[in-house]
Amino acid sequence: MSRSERTNLPDVVVAGEEYRDTTVTYRLATRLTGRPEDGRDGEGHRNAQTGAARPDPP
């Protein structure tokens, strides 16, 4: 989902036209869907079943 809020701009802007005192706020929300890749635990770590070591926690 994405959404933008614009102030002091027309619905259709014209290329080359100068607009002053404007604001554009753009919001983007995403979500991952589906299953983790083979060998991953869903958190980006390698699965212990693969025999690979997990990275050290921060």
Side-chain angles (χ1 to χ4, degrees):
M1 176 179 105
S2 66
R3 185 177 94 179
S4 65
E5 297 172 9
R6 302 164 15 139
T7 57
N8 297 329
L9 284 172
D11 289 336
V12 178
V13 296
V14 177
E17 185 73 23
E18 186 173 314
Y19 301 97
R20 295 174 187 249
D21 193 28
T22 64
T23 303
V24 177
T25 303
Y26 187 76
R27 301 184 196 293
L28 175 65
T30 62
R31 175 176 54 173
L32 298 176
T33 61
R35 297 180 6 210
E37 297 177 28
D38 289 338
R40 299 286 178 168
D41 67 1
E43 297 294 323
H45 303 118
R46 292 181 186 244
N47 189 327
Q49 294 175 354
T50 66
R54 289 180 59 154
D56 292 331

